[in-house]
Amino acid sequence: MNDISKPPTLFTVREVADILRVHQRTAYRLITGGSIKAIKIGSQWRVPEASLMDFLNSGWQEPESEGKKESGPTQYKLPLE
């Protein structure tokens, strides 16, 4: 009865930055800000592979239909006297 499961793959902040092709500070901000779920072991952050994949999958967006006009911020005219 060998019930040994494979431990999850854990990425460092540097590895996450390399995978996302962003600066290490950007990866660190995403982790500490809660956008990427991670665990802190001692003083170092580790990101499970599943959490990184969830973050990547949540970023996919469907293209907008052509008939839909993109609405930007509302612009107001300043009263000039």
Side-chain angles (χ1 to χ4, degrees), residues 8-81:
T9 302
L10 299 174
F11 296 114
T12 64
V13 174
R14 178 178 288 166
E15 291 170 331
V16 170
D18 289 343
I19 291 168
L20 297 178
R21 299 178 125 186
V22 296
H23 195 275
Q24 286 184 32
R25 273 185 247 144
T26 303
Y28 182 79
R29 283 189 208 116
L30 289 169
I31 291 167
T32 58
S35 296
I36 299 176
K37 294 180 184 175
I39 57 172
K40 195 168 190 178
I41 302 172
S43 63
Q44 300 179 354
W45 287 98
R46 293 293 183 264
V47 177
E49 184 176 16
S51 295
L52 185 57
M53 294 309 296
D54 288 344
F55 172 75
L56 290 173
N57 290 331
S58 70
W60 291 113
Q61 296 179 358
E62 295 296 321
E64 293 185 25
S65 62
E66 291 180 23
K68 202 176 194 183
K69 185 177 181 182
E70 193 173 313
S71 62
T74 305
Q75 294 184 358
Y76 297 99
K77 287 189 174 184
L78 294 174
L80 300 176
E81 295 182 48

